[in-house]
Amino acid sequence: MVWCSGWKLASAVSNAGGLGLIGAGSMHPETLEEHIVKIKAATKKPYGVNVPLMYPEQERVMEIIEKHKVPIVFTSAGSPKKWTGWLKERGITVAHVVSSSVFAEKCEAAGVDAVVAEGFEAGGHNGREETTTFTLIPSVRKATSLPLLAAGGVGTGEAMLAAMVLGADGVQVGSAFAVSEESSAHPSFKQKVISLEEGGTKLALKQLAPVRLVKNHFFEQVDAAENEGKQVEELRILLGRGRAKKGMFEGDLEEGELEIGQVSAQLDEILPAATILDNMIRELRLARQQLCGERFEW
């Protein structure tokens, strides 16, 4: 949720009954601190911060989280061993994002409170295993007794119910909220996302850190480079700095890095976060009723 989930979106989700997360991956520490101060003023409901461990300045980020008594931290893109103990010693609930059952077992050994099992349908950085959510959830459920959240391809109440049937206790939703009214993403990026059709995204940059991208001119350059067998350093030069900011935050739809999940093909409106959440709960209840009603003959 880099460049999408600041205090406005996170507080809107929390106020609507979900757990809003500030995406710290695109924030300098001082910016993160500003967003934490603002969300504490905007909601009295639980909220959290997502911290991708692949980014620099982790020590400063954690100092800010401790200083402001952030209640919940979701870590990702790194080992859960590094910060889980430190966070839990300070009374912070910790969830960690995984892409395999092996990593889920490591999370349990590290003492995390919950795991987010994210299939490769998801937007943004992704697992190298390329395991789909439908396959991943039951595998992780079998591997650990921790509370389990499903992510990747979840943008409707029907998908939420399917994930729960497979063993999830809840879901983490990214793409649907990335195009919400409160998202800090550029309006042009939101419009691009809701215009995407099936097959409009693809996993790329596998030699660096796999990431699901919208197919645009930048993606075509990356795809060509990978097909030509370019080495890691050449791909890193092509990526450069600030590509995601250029695309998602500044609205450069051709040269920017546009991260979004496969579920984008199901999105066709820019809605308030509260409406998105209400719709999902309504769809969940209706789907559950249909499963127990005349739609299926058991």
Side-chain angles (χ1 to χ4, degrees):
M1 292 293 283
V2 293
W3 303 111
C4 295
S5 189
W7 71 271
K8 288 183 180 179
L9 175 55
S11 62
V13 171
S14 289
N15 284 331
L19 175 64
L21 298 177
I22 295 173
S26 53
M27 299 179 181
H28 293 297
E30 58 272 17
T31 305
L32 173 61
E33 185 165 27
E34 178 184 341
H35 280 257
I36 292 173
V37 170
K38 287 183 176 179
I39 196 172
K40 289 170 73 174
T43 184
K44 300 304 179 186
K45 302 289 184 66
Y47 73 94
V49 174
N50 176 274
V51 183
L53 301 177
M54 65 187 292
Y55 292 107
E57 300 185 287
Q58 292 303 311
E59 289 78 9
R60 179 69 181 126
V61 166
M62 293 303 182
E63 287 174 4
I64 290 169
I65 286 171
E66 179 185 21
K67 174 183 175 182
H68 291 282
K69 296 181 171 57
V70 173
I72 301 168
V73 169
F74 279 50
T75 52
S76 60
S79 171
K81 290 182 179 180
K82 186 170 184 181
W83 288 103
T84 296
W86 186 91
L87 290 164
K88 288 178 67 66
E89 286 173 3
R90 287 152 178 81
I92 298 171
T93 299
V94 181
H96 191 78
V97 181
V98 301
S99 57
S100 73
S101 55
V102 172
F103 286 124
E105 291 172 346
K106 291 181 178 180
C107 283
E108 187 160 12
V112 305
D113 297 292
V115 292
V116 180
E118 184 178 79
F120 100 124
E121 299 97 322
H125 291 287
N126 228 305
R128 296 183 182 279
E129 300 86 355
E130 298 189 18
T131 305
T132 64
T133 303
F134 257 44
T135 303
L136 181 61
I137 297 307
S139 296
V140 173
R141 179 72 291 159
K142 184 177 180 180
T144 178
S145 61
L146 289 172
L148 170 59
L149 305 178
V154 182
T156 64
E158 292 90 346
M160 186 190 307
L161 179 60
M164 295 173 76
V165 169
L166 289 172
D169 299 295
V171 296
Q172 177 175 278
V173 178
S175 296
F177 288 116
V179 296
S180 67
E181 289 183 359
E182 294 89 348
S183 166
S184 51
H186 195 279
S188 296
F189 171 69
K190 297 180 188 181
Q191 289 294 333
K192 177 67 174 180
V193 169
I194 64 174
S195 73
L196 292 175
E197 298 180 352
E198 183 180 346
T201 69
K202 189 175 180 180
L203 209 62
L205 293 168
K206 297 179 185 179
Q207 292 188 61
L208 295 178
V211 59
R212 181 166 296 282
L213 300 177
V214 173
K215 294 178 180 178
N216 63 355
H217 185 249
F218 168 64
F219 167 80
E220 290 171 357
Q221 291 177 289
V222 170
D223 194 47
E226 291 184 319
N227 289 334
E228 292 168 7
K230 299 293 186 183
Q231 298 303 304
V232 170
E233 190 55 38
E234 293 174 287
L235 291 171
R236 187 173 285 115
I237 292 171
L238 176 59
L239 175 62
R241 294 180 61 85
R243 281 276 190 179
K245 180 181 181 182
K246 177 184 288 188
M248 291 183 281
F249 192 68
E250 297 177 352
D252 189 332
L253 301 183
E254 288 302 324
E255 299 303 327
E257 181 180 349
L258 307 180
E259 303 178 9
I260 203 72
Q262 286 183 333
V263 75
S264 56
Q266 301 174 21
L267 305 175
D268 55 15
E269 290 184 273
I270 298 171
L271 299 170
T275 301
I276 294 170
L277 193 54
D278 287 345
N279 287 346
M280 290 188 68
I281 298 302
R282 175 179 49 79
E283 292 162 356
L284 168 67
R285 290 172 175 165
L286 179 59
R288 186 169 56 190
Q289 290 172 359
Q290 290 175 330
L291 281 173
C292 299
E294 297 178 355
R295 179 178 171 188
F296 292 92
E297 294 181 3
W298 300 105

